[in-house]
């Protein structure tokens, strides 16, 4: 950009929303993303007020040759919601939601968080399958796939996408669905932010209201037995049972018992979309076989479980991520997990294994851009701490753990858990769908205008 001042002034005249340039009050706050390890300095952040503003930003950036980053919730591991020297189109003001209860559909604007969606849908006894924390953006999570508590029973977030209104790289707006721009609709379901800016999503919602949720903790010495038994349970359990396996440190706060505060444990955080007695019956064999330190799941509103981790993980912590898709874990892989899980370097660091079987596994590998329908687990290892001085330790621990488990993986990883890991990793992840994604990219963004993402360059 030759004259950033001129570009920012012109943008201010064109938009209803706010444009914050370097040197403006509020710039430091506006440039920040969720991962404190990512520190970038865009030329400007446009807090768009409506779709017309989004179109104006795209056209202005294209004319001026300015690189654009699109920000939904700003949670992305690698900081893809920001860019040095470019324009951040911040969708954070676009969070309108409309629930059509009889039709069981929900229209969600592109800058909403999952907490916004849960709040709106819970009033109608409904929920859209999403992730495990309510502050994550709908935009990034939905476009990458979206796995969470309801994956086994209702599929991934993308499996519940009915349509999307998209601002394309030339400023046009199209609706993508099974009937309109079907190639774009296919690519949006897993292809990330490569194809345009989604102004609004239309999702299918499911009857989910009061669930049984909460943690079970086991001592580290029981980790191998607990993980093996959880895997066996999850392979055959009714699909209403969701949840994930973790290594974690018990937070030193109520409601956790004082005796466990700060203790490293292996855990399952459960979400059963059903009654307490049914849940108790399903998990009884596991609890009897591997007696836990604490078993606390109880009936609670779904949004309460969704926001359970929010206070533990405020914005601005240092996060270092590594992930893989895993088939059924062998005994050796479980042993490696127990070995590395015991060495969590900080209280916030963790490892999660999210089950992907059930409804999500019934979709074909080429039916959506996301193709990992055969993997049993989505595994993520994150070194996390408030202090930047710990960044190297977090990196070392995460990479060491990841390298030990990677040989047991499918060779691919969930795009939304990746940092900047290079094009080969992206190619491996999309596999046979990669070339088709390149063809769709050429049709909708031939100049690779949207390239601040896990980038899929257009087909030559
Ligand atoms: C604490 C935490 C917990 C998480 N838990 C889960 C989980 O349970 N399940 C899961 O699947 N993922 C999870 N994730 C990963 C999450 O899906 C990704 O970080 C995702 O990229 C976040 O989306 P965002 O909109 O907040 O991010 P942003 O950083 O704003 O954006 C990420 C990418 O998406 C693009 N994008 C965002 N919104 C739009 C839009 N409207 N139109 C076009 N492009 C857009 C951006 O351009 C960028 O490339 C978690 C992440 C964190 C930090």
């Amino acid at each position: 950009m030759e004259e950033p001042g001129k570009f920012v002034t012109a943008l201010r005249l064109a938009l209803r929303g706010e444009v914050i340039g370097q040197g403006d009050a509020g710039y430091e706050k506006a440039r920040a993303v969720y991962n404190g390890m990512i520190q970038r300095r865009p030329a400007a952040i446009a807090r768009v007020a409506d779709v017309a503003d989004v179109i104006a930003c795209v056209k202005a950036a294209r004319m001026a040759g300015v690189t654009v980053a699109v920000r939904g919730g700003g949670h992305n591991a690698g900081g893809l919601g920001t860019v040095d020297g470019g324009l951040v189109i911040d969708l954070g003001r676009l969070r309108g939601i409309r629930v059509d209860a009889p039709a069981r559909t929900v229209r969600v604007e592109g800058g909403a968080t999952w907490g916004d969606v849960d709040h709106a849908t819970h009033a109608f006894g409904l929920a859209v399958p999403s992730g495990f924390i309510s502050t994550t953006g709908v935009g990034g999570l939905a476009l990458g796939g979206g796995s969470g508590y309801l994956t086994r029973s209702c599929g991934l977030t993308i499996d519940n996408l009915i349509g999307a209104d998209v601002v394309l790289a030339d400023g046009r707006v199209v609706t993508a669905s099974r009937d309109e721009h079907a190639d774009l609709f296919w690519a949006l379901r897993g292809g990330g932010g490569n194809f345009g800016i989604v102004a609004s999503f239309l999702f299918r919602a499911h009857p989910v209201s009061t669930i049984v949720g909460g943690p079970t903790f086991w001592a580290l010495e029981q980790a191998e037995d607990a993980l093996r038994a959880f895997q066996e349970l999850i392979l055959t359990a009714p699909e209403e049972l969701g949840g994930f396996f973790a290594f974690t440190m018990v937070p030193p706060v109520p409601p956790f018992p004082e005796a466990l505060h700060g203790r490293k444990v292996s855990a399952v955080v459960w979400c059963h979309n059903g009654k307490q007695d049914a849940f108790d019956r399903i998990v009884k064999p596991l609890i009897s076989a591997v007696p836990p330190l604490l078993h606390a799941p109880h009936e609670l509103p779904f949004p309460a479980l969704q926001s359970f981790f929010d206070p533990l993980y405020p914005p601005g912590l240092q996060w270092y991520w590594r992930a893989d898709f895993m088939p059924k874990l062998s005994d050796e892989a479980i042993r490696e997990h127990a070995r590395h899980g015991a060495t969590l370097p900080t209280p916030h660091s963790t490892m999660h294994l999210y089950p992907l079987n059930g409804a999500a596994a019934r979709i074909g590998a080429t039916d959506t851009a996301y193709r990992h329908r055969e993997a049993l687990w989505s595994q993520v290892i994150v070194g996390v701490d408030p202090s930047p001085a710990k960044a190297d330790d977090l990196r070392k621990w995460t990479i060491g753990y990841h390298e030990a488990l990677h040989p047991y993986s499918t060779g691919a990883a969930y795009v939304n858990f990746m940092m900047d890991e290079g094009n080969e990793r992206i190619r491996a992840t999309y596999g046979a769908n990669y070339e088709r994604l390149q063809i769709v990219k050429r049709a909708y963004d031939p100049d690779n205008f949207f390239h601040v993402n896990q980038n899929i360059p257009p087909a030559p």
Side-chain angles (χ1 to χ4, degrees):
M1 188 190 324
E2 277 174 19
E3 293 179 71
K6 217 166 145 189
F7 175 72
V8 170
T9 307
L11 208 53
R12 276 197 185 116
L13 290 172
L15 301 196
R16 278 204 160 186
E18 209 183 345
V19 181
I20 303 166
Q22 291 187 358
D24 288 340
Y27 176 80
E28 290 303 316
K29 195 163 171 232
R31 79 177 177 87
V33 290
Y34 183 79
N35 185 354
M37 213 176 263
I38 310 290
Q39 295 295 332
R40 298 198 180 123
R41 303 191 68 80
I45 300 106
R47 285 198 174 131
V48 292
D50 52 24
V51 180
D53 277 4
V54 177
I55 297 168
C57 284
V58 167
K59 288 187 171 168
R62 180 178 269 289
M63 282 226 335
V66 171
T67 299
V68 155
V70 179
R71 188 182 302 166
H75 262 224
N76 188 265
L80 295 173
T82 185
V83 61
D84 273 327
L87 172 68
V88 173
I89 303 179
D90 183 344
L91 305 174
R93 284 175 64 179
L94 305 185
R95 41 212 312 164
I97 295 171
R98 185 175 186 281
V99 181
D100 182 340
R104 288 197 187 153
T105 62
V106 190
R107 169 74 62 186
V108 181
E109 284 191 315
T113 65
W114 284 106
D116 298 331
V117 178
D118 292 334
H119 176 74
T121 54
H122 187 66
F124 298 93
L126 297 171
V128 177
S130 60
F132 296 89
I133 199 155
S134 84
T135 53
T136 309
V138 170
L141 183 138
L143 294 169
S147 61
Y149 287 118
L150 303 176
T151 301
R152 293 189 76 241
S153 53
C154 307
L156 300 173
T157 306
I158 49 168
D159 302 335
N160 293 282
L161 184 63
I162 300 169
D165 290 341
V166 190
V167 179
L168 300 178
D170 58 6
R172 279 182 306 139
V173 181
V174 298
T175 296
S177 68
R178 275 191 203 287
D179 305 320
E180 294 173 85
H181 298 281
D183 52 348
L184 176 61
F185 184 55
W186 175 85
L188 291 176
R189 286 175 292 158
N194 272 284
F195 306 94
I197 303 177
V198 177
S200 76
F201 297 86
L202 182 65
F203 293 111
R204 191 176 307 114
H206 298 264
V208 179
S209 183
T210 299
I211 51 86
V212 181
T216 300
F217 294 142
W218 291 271
L220 285 179
E221 305 75 59
Q222 298 173 288
E224 279 186 52
D225 290 342
L227 177 48
R228 201 174 297 111
F230 179 61
Q231 177 165 262
E232 288 311 317
L233 177 71
I234 219 69
L235 280 168
T236 55
E239 291 179 1
E240 302 77 59
L241 186 77
F244 63 92
F245 185 89
F247 287 105
T248 187
M249 254 185 239
V250 179
V253 288
F256 302 106
E258 257 182 57
L260 294 181
H261 284 184
R263 180 162 171 179
K264 288 181 192 175
V265 291
S266 49
V268 170
V269 182
W270 304 96
C271 175
H272 174 72
N273 188 21
K275 297 279 179 219
Q276 182 85 46
D277 54 350
F279 170 78
D280 291 342
R281 240 187 348 265
I282 295 166
V283 303
K284 191 168 175 221
L286 165 60
I287 302 305
S288 312
V290 195
L293 298 170
L294 178 81
H295 181 60
H298 56 281
E299 292 192 357
L300 75 168
F302 182 64
L305 180 65
Q306 286 280 90
S307 49
F308 192 70
F309 291 101
D310 295 1
L312 296 175
Y313 290 105
L317 304 180
Q318 306 282 306
W319 289 70
Y320 195 79
W321 299 65
R322 278 288 181 273
D324 272 318
F325 285 115
M326 309 297 280
K328 185 180 175 197
L329 297 172
S330 62
D331 283 348
E332 299 95 275
I334 289 176
R335 206 165 305 127
E336 283 300 320
H337 263 302
R339 197 159 71 81
H340 287 271
T343 64
L344 294 172
T346 61
H348 289 86
S349 298
T350 188
M351 188 291 301
H352 290 179
L353 280 163
Y354 304 119
L356 297 173
N357 63 346
R362 283 195 288 275
I363 311 278
T366 56
D367 289 353
T368 59
Y370 174 104
R371 75 173 177 97
H372 305 280
R373 306 297 181 162
E374 80 299 345
L376 178 58
W377 303 106
S378 180
Q379 171 188 292
V380 64
I381 303 159
V382 277
V384 189
D385 195 75
S387 167
K390 291 263 174 62
D392 274 348
D393 293 344
L394 302 177
R395 250 186 235 113
K396 269 190 211 128
W397 175 78
T398 306
I399 290 172
Y401 194 159
H402 177 255
E403 284 179 353
L405 267 301
H406 186 66
Y408 303 97
S409 75
T410 66
Y414 178 35
V415 281
N416 273 349
F417 291 156
M418 281 186 198
M419 298 188 82
D420 184 359
E421 297 173 33
N423 184 261
E424 280 314 303
R425 186 94 158 124
I426 299 171
R427 201 178 256 275
T429 280
Y430 288 110
N433 288 345
Y434 188 80
E435 282 178 18
R436 186 168 162 196
L437 280 163
Q438 285 194 292
I439 292 167
V440 182
K441 179 77 169 174
R442 184 176 58 195
Y444 290 93
D445 184 12
D447 306 321
N448 207 1
F449 177 75
F450 295 114
H451 61 266
V452 182
N453 41 46
Q454 298 294 355
N455 195 236
I456 298 161

